[in-house]
Amino acid sequence: MTKAIKLLTALPPPQRARLMALAREVSFPEDTRIFESGGTADRFWVIRSGAVSLDQPVNELHRVTVAALGAGDLLGWSWLFPPHEWDFGAVAFSPVRAYEFDAAAVLRLCEEDPELGLLLVRKVAEVLAHRLEATRGKLMEQYAMHRRGGLV
């Protein structure tokens, strides 16, 4: 499995400083819905402290948790790809402090500094690859449990 990547520490200091110049400190109380699947993805966060659950609606009454994020993790990547809509929902599992970034401002910065843009896209891709592998592992575990239980 790929190693979990922490976006800010993965960037070289000069690019990290340029990105952090756009950061705004925010906080979310426990049980706050940060964004909803299908909503407009116009920002992203790097979690400083606390925990966030990513979820996917199964139907009108039920959601399934697909990932848990903590300190250093990137929250939100849909801002980078059209149609710029959240693929999942996110809720603060505990009180959360984070750096918030306006997507339009970050994209402008990436156009001004193509080296930063390429680094950022690569690092986000690494985050996505790690999460995809983690999800695949969870699905394989569930499959194995169901086979042992005779449910498959």
Side-chain angles (χ1 to χ4, degrees), residues 27-79:
S27 60
F28 302 100
E30 184 175 354
D31 296 327
T32 298
R33 179 146 298 275
I34 301 169
F35 57 83
E36 185 63 71
S37 174
T40 300
D42 60 356
R43 61 198 66 248
F44 66 96
W45 301 264
V46 174
I47 300 169
R48 295 179 59 209
S49 65
V52 173
S53 296
L54 295 180
D55 59 26
Q56 181 70 49
V58 176
N59 56 42
E60 292 179 11
L61 301 175
H62 184 69
R63 295 176 186 274
V64 63
T65 298
V66 296
L69 306 177
D73 286 334
L74 171 67
L75 172 58
W77 50 265
S78 298
W79 61 275

Side-chain angles (χ1 to χ4, degrees), residues 68-120:
L69 306 177
D73 286 334
L74 171 67
L75 172 58
W77 50 265
S78 298
W79 61 275
L80 195 52
F81 306 103
H84 307 289
E85 293 178 356
W86 299 119
D87 287 319
F88 302 100
V91 64
F93 187 72
S94 68
V96 171
R97 293 175 54 218
Y99 294 118
E100 181 178 81
F101 298 87
D102 177 85
V106 171
L107 291 171
R108 280 191 301 276
L109 177 62
C110 290
E111 287 177 9
E112 294 168 10
D113 182 348
E115 183 180 350
L116 172 60
L118 181 58
L119 280 168
L120 192 58

Side-chain angles (χ1 to χ4, degrees), residues 120-132:
L120 192 58
V121 168
R122 283 182 175 164
K123 296 309 174 189
V124 171
E126 288 180 40
V127 168
L128 294 176
H130 174 75
R131 290 188 188 164
L132 181 61

